[in-house]
Amino acid sequence: QVQLVESGGGLVQPGGSLRLSCAASGSNFRIASMAWYRQNPGKEREFLERELVAFITSGGTTNYAESVKGRFTISRDDARNTVYLQMNSLKPEDTAVYYCRFASGPTNYWGQGTQVTVSS
């Protein structure tokens, strides 16, 4: 069993920055791929409604949604079992609940989500 705890969300003005963290309990973090998703407010909690924002493999390969390329950076610290999402130049359309996902083979776990609101 893996538990994921996200933190770092909040209210920020357009153009500002936030760094999200996702700490994982349990073992096998080093071999897992980690990802950040987001879901717009007001939508049902349907997995299909979640947008993949960024992911990072166990080997450090990263990929990003086109909408965040050049603004967001995903990174991981295997010693701390933590994955980060540095978000710069935030826009109102980045407002969403951000979820962390752990994937290792057929095993998937999700965090509880952290709210990010970009507004003046």
Side-chain angles (χ1 to χ4, degrees):
Q1 185 76 13
V2 174
Q3 291 186 329
L4 303 173
V5 178
E6 299 108 330
S7 60
L11 173 64
V12 63
Q13 293 186 343
S17 298
L18 283 174
R19 188 176 82 153
L20 305 183
S21 299
C22 172
S25 67
S27 59
N28 298 328
F29 181 85
R30 284 180 172 79
I31 64 172
S33 291
M34 301 297 297
W36 288 97
Y37 286 73
R38 64 187 179 188
Q39 188 162 8
N40 290 331
K43 290 196 174 183
E44 294 296 321
R45 190 186 170 109
E46 296 289 342
F47 287 176
L48 292 179
E49 298 290 347
R50 294 184 179 180
E51 175 192 11
L52 175 62
V53 175
F55 75 78
I56 183 167
T57 67
S58 58
T61 299
T62 59
N63 203 355
Y64 298 90
E66 286 296 325
S67 59
V68 307
K69 277 184 180 179
R71 301 188 297 122
F72 291 12
T73 302
I74 188 171
S75 61
R76 62 190 295 158
D77 184 343
D78 290 345
R80 297 177 183 270
N81 280 14
T82 301
V83 63
Y84 304 98
L85 185 68
Q86 178 66 43
M87 305 186 294
N88 299 328
S89 302
L90 282 161
K91 304 175 181 180
E93 51 263 43
D94 295 318
T95 295
V97 178
Y98 284 71
Y99 296 92
C100 172
R101 179 189 180 194
F102 170 109
S104 179
T107 304
N108 286 276
Y109 295 95
W110 292 86
Q112 82 289 351
T114 185
Q115 176 71 48
V116 171
T117 302
V118 185
S119 175
S120 55

